[in-house]
């Protein structure tokens, strides 16, 4: 008798959405630049185009199927995710989602889309980061425990660390504070826990915050990730230089399951960089000029196989 062993795959995508705001003001939040009457003229038609564009990005990350998990950064609220999963190009994909409700002054949050057929959340939490002196309230860390269809328990963390605005050295402690809060939770887990940490860290692979995570037994599987089409050398481009500030890290117990890690640089996500040469992400806005694009970040794609 011939026994056929079928390998199960799980695909994770990480994407910074570049300001996915709806067109309504959230009380107490500094979101007025994303209203129809603002200098950006953020109208419903532009919002709908943005939502469909993000759906197109997610659909392009895998040829044979939709990603099982999609970690999203820079999402304003539940309404944005409702429209993305129920009214956009993804409306028939069946995605469910979980998200944070952070004290971030602009109302920015993180989220996790998941396919119920391949990943079932068991529980989730929002890890609050206590601000240091001089640090603005920042995004909560989304923590989701979930079971794959093969009964593999995953611990997924979605992070959006503070930016470098004000200088890298001055803001370095703020990002380390986020990583310290993350590690506090990781240390509560069993030694063999299968952990995924992903998001926008606003730091490079060799930065102190990522090195700190490495010393805790987390492996950056996207540190030298190649681009799928050979056009990008990172997830973000600044003044003509490609950089990677988005990352996916996994625990030692999960590392053997990682089969592929790459940057999705599909041609439609890029445009010519007329100032510095080469290509750059086709973003939604360049300053206040509407670009009709997708995001200023390219998505990361990581495939796991049990």
């Amino acid at each position: 008798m011939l026994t056929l062993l079928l390998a199960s795959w799980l695909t994770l995508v990480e994407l910074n959405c570049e300001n996915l705001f709806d067109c309504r003001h959230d009380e107490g939040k500094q979101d007025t630049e994303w209203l129809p009457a603002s200098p950006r003229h953020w109208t419903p038609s532009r919002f709908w185009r943005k939502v469909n564009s993000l759906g197109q990005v997610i659909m392009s990350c895998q040829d044979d199927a939709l990603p099982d998990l999609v970690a999203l950064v820079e999402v304003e609220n539940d309404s944005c995710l409702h429209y993305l999963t129920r009214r956009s190009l993804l409306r028939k994909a069946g995605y469910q989602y979980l998200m944070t409700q952070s004290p971030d002054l602009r109302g920015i949050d993180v989220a996790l889309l998941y396919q119920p057929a391949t990943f079932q959340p068991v529980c989730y939490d929002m890890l609050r980061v206590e601000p240091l002196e001089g640090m603005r309230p920042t995004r909560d860390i989304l923590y989701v425990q979930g079971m794959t269809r093969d009964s593999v328990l995953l611990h997924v963390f979605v992070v959006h660390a503070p930016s470098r605005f004000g200088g890298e050295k001055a803001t370095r402690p703020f990002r380390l504070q986020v990583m310290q809060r993350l590690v506090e939770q990781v240390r509560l887990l069993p030694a063999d826990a299968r952990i995924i940490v992903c998001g926008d860290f606003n730091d490079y692979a060799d930065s102190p915050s990522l090195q700190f995570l490495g010393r805790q037994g987390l492996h950056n599987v996207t540190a030298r990730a190649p681009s799928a089409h050979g056009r990008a050398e990172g997830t973000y481009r600044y003044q003509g230089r490609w950089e990677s500030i988005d990352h996916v890290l996994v625990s030692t117990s999960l590392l053997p399951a990682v089969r592929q890690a790459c940057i999705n640089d599909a041609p439609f996500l890029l445009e010519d960089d007329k100032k510095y040469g080469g290509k750059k992400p086709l973003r939604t806005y360049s300053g206040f000029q509407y670009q009709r694009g997708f995001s200023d970040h390219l998505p990361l794609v990581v495939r796991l196989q049990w």
Side-chain angles (χ1 to χ4, degrees):
M1 178 183 291
L2 177 64
T3 301
L4 179 63
L5 298 178
L6 297 178
S8 282
W9 291 82
L10 185 137
T11 301
L12 166 78
V13 168
E14 184 279 334
L15 173 63
N16 183 315
C17 299
E18 188 200 356
N19 296 311
L20 179 56
F21 282 83
D22 62 18
C23 303
R24 298 185 296 273
H25 174 55
D26 285 355
E27 190 66 30
K29 298 298 183 181
Q30 299 175 8
D31 60 356
T32 53
E33 67 174 302
W34 298 99
L35 298 175
S38 74
R40 291 191 185 275
H41 304 293
W42 188 239
T43 59
S45 63
R46 290 185 175 183
F47 169 72
W48 283 113
R49 182 181 179 88
K50 173 79 171 184
V51 167
N52 275 314
S53 294
L54 291 174
Q56 187 179 358
V57 176
I58 293 169
M59 293 169 67
S60 73
C61 288
Q62 188 170 255
D63 293 333
D64 52 350
L66 286 168
D68 303 282
L69 299 174
V70 183
L72 298 178
V73 175
E74 287 196 13
V75 179
E76 184 189 20
N77 53 35
D78 181 83
S79 295
C80 294
L81 288 179
H82 174 78
Y83 292 130
L84 177 63
T85 58
R86 298 293 178 268
R87 303 285 182 85
S88 76
L89 295 175
L90 296 177
R91 61 187 177 274
K92 295 183 179 180
Y95 279 116
Q96 303 291 323
Y97 61 86
L98 297 167
M99 72 177 303
T100 56
Q101 295 179 346
S102 304
D104 179 83
L105 299 181
R106 297 174 64 222
I108 286 292
D109 281 293
V110 301
L112 182 71
L113 308 187
Y114 62 91
Q115 288 278 1
T118 56
F119 182 84
Q120 276 292 333
V122 175
C123 61
Y124 79 102
D125 199 0
M126 295 172 280
L127 308 181
R128 185 61 46 92
V129 180
E130 190 67 27
L132 300 174
E133 183 178 355
M135 177 181 173
R136 295 175 16 152
T138 192
R139 280 74 58 171
D140 291 348
I141 301 168
L142 179 62
Y143 169 40
V144 181
Q145 288 187 36
M147 199 74 71
T148 72
R149 59 185 161 191
D150 303 295
S151 299
V152 176
L153 181 63
L154 294 179
H155 301 265
V156 183
F157 296 86
V158 186
V159 174
H160 185 191
S163 75
R164 296 184 168 207
F165 183 77
E168 187 280 327
K169 187 175 181 179
T171 58
R172 184 185 302 170
F174 305 160
R175 291 183 292 281
L176 284 169
Q177 178 75 347
V178 174
M179 301 311 126
Q180 184 63 53
R181 179 66 184 94
L182 169 69
V183 168
E184 287 176 8
Q185 185 65 41
V186 168
R187 287 174 176 167
L188 297 176
L189 303 178
D192 60 349
R194 295 177 173 92
I195 301 168
I196 300 174
V197 180
C198 57
D200 180 350
F201 292 76
N202 275 304
D203 263 337
Y204 310 130
D206 59 353
S207 296
S209 64
L210 273 298
Q211 294 299 305
F212 172 68
L213 294 184
R215 292 194 294 272
Q216 313 308 313
L218 294 170
H219 306 268
N220 191 341
V221 297
T222 56
R224 291 174 292 277
S227 60
H229 300 272
R231 293 177 170 85
E233 299 173 21
T235 59
Y236 184 80
R237 189 168 163 102
Y238 179 69
Q239 294 185 349
R241 189 178 74 176
W242 283 104
E243 303 169 341
S244 286
I245 56 179
D246 306 275
H247 305 278
V248 178
L249 300 94
V250 302
S251 58
T252 300
S253 58
L254 193 57
L255 190 59
V258 177
R259 293 291 182 265
Q260 180 186 22
C262 69
I263 301 165
N264 178 10
D265 61 338
F268 75 91
L269 297 177
L270 302 170
E271 65 173 339
D272 293 332
D273 190 334
K274 297 178 181 178
K275 183 174 182 180
Y276 296 102
K279 296 289 185 179
K280 64 179 181 179
L282 177 54
R283 56 192 299 172
T284 308
Y285 278 90
S286 178
F288 282 86
Q289 183 177 358
Y290 182 55
Q291 300 284 97
R292 301 170 65 89
F294 301 89
S295 174
D296 55 347
H297 291 240
L298 295 175
L300 290 171
V301 184
V302 174
R303 300 197 74 191
L304 308 172
Q305 184 185 44
W306 316 124

